[in-house]
Amino acid sequence: MTDLQAQTTPDAPPSWGEPRQKTITWYDPLAAATQGAALAGIDHLRAILAGELAPPPIAAHFGFGLAKVEPGEVTFTCTPDESVYNPIGLVHGGLVCTLLDSVTGCAVQSTLPAGVGYTSIEIKVSYLRPVHGHTGAMNARGWVTKPGRRVAFAEGDVRDAEGKVLATASSTCLIMA
C-alpha cells in the first residue's frame, strides 16, 4: 500500500473528518499545443482565452485561467480551494509559485512569433503574505521586463481581491527557436 492509498483509505479514523473529492477534467494538451505552435504566442494565448483552444491541464488542476492577454503582459485569476492546503492549513506556496511561473512565462510567450517556444530557466519567488482558504479570488499578473532572442526576463505578482500583494516573482526564460 502506498502512502497516498493510506491517506485516502475508506477506514480512516474519524479524527480525519469527512473525506472530500475533487474531479478534474481536461482535454488533450498535445492537440492544443500543436495548434498553438502555428500561432504567434499572443494569438495562441488569446485563442485559449476565447475558448477556441483548450487550456493546459494544470489550469484545471489548480483552478486558474487566463483573464487578460496583452503584448508582454498577462493576467490569470485563481480561487484556491482546500485541496491545495499544506499540512499547516494554508494554501501551499507551490500553487502560488506555479501561478507566478505561469504568468511570467505566458507574458514572455505573448511576445514570441509562431513556432518559437520558451521554458523557465529560473524563478525567484518572495512570499509576502500567507494565502488562506478564505483569501478568495486572486489575480496574478506577469509582465516582460526585457525581451530577448535567447533569454527573456519577466516579473509577476499575485494579489488578493483587495489588491494586497501576496507574492512577487522574477523569472528568466530560455527562448527556443
Side-chain angles (χ1 to χ4, degrees), residues 81-158:
D81 62 35
E82 67 180 11
S83 73
V84 295
Y85 281 9
N86 63 22
I88 60 171
L90 296 173
V91 171
H92 195 285
L95 168 74
V96 175
C97 182
T98 300
L99 195 54
L100 286 162
D101 187 48
S102 297
V103 295
T104 55
C106 286
V108 169
Q109 181 182 355
S110 73
T111 67
L112 301 177
V116 176
Y118 71 95
T119 190
S120 298
I121 296 174
E122 69 175 352
I123 187 167
K124 183 213 178 279
V125 176
S126 296
Y127 300 97
L128 307 176
R129 290 185 169 82
V131 179
H132 300 274
H134 63 271
T135 297
M138 301 184 302
N139 289 309
R141 185 175 69 97
W143 60 93
V144 173
T145 56
K146 185 183 180 306
R149 291 183 335 164
R150 297 287 298 145
V151 176
F153 300 88
E155 293 187 7
D157 63 28
V158 176

Side-chain angles (χ1 to χ4, degrees), residues 19-23:
R20 291 155 167 82
Q21 293 183 337
K22 182 175 182 177
T23 302

